[in-house]
Amino acid sequence: MSEELHARAERLLAQERVEGISASEQEWLRRHLGECAACTARADATEEAIRALRGLSASMPRTLASRTQMRVRLRARQL
């Protein structure tokens, strides 16, 4: 398979997660993943990484949200 097809599949996999893809693109991607073990492995690895990241927790200072809001408001006034 050409590198262009793999690049398209990689782009669609990412785009599908962020902004969604059309039905025709979903169909093309499904068919490509059915034929290409390398792209299927990449899709599986991406899914696994996303699951792992969702399982992480990060602690932040309790005042972070209010401080951020204050900074945004100050900047908005400046503009």
Side-chain angles (χ1 to χ4, degrees):
M1 271 185 216
S2 77
E3 288 302 313
E4 286 181 25
L5 293 177
H6 299 302
R8 180 181 182 198
E10 188 173 335
R11 180 183 55 80
L12 289 175
L13 284 167
Q15 189 177 349
E16 182 178 41
R17 291 273 176 202
V18 176
E19 56 201 43
I21 58 176
S22 69
S24 63
E25 289 173 321
Q26 288 175 351
E27 177 61 24
W28 182 90
L29 183 59
R30 185 190 62 75
R31 281 194 322 260
H32 180 76
L33 293 177
E35 300 169 354
C36 181
C39 288
T40 299
R42 175 163 283 193
D44 291 345
T46 300
E47 182 65 33
E48 186 176 326
I50 290 170
R51 273 196 305 272
L53 288 172
R54 284 186 177 143
L56 295 177
S57 64
S59 61
M60 292 179 239
R62 291 179 358 173
T63 60
L64 180 63
S66 62
R67 289 189 330 220
T68 302
Q69 287 174 343
M70 180 187 69
R71 295 277 183 194
V72 168
R73 286 186 187 117
L74 288 172
R75 184 65 180 143
R77 286 182 194 149
Q78 289 175 345
L79 297 174

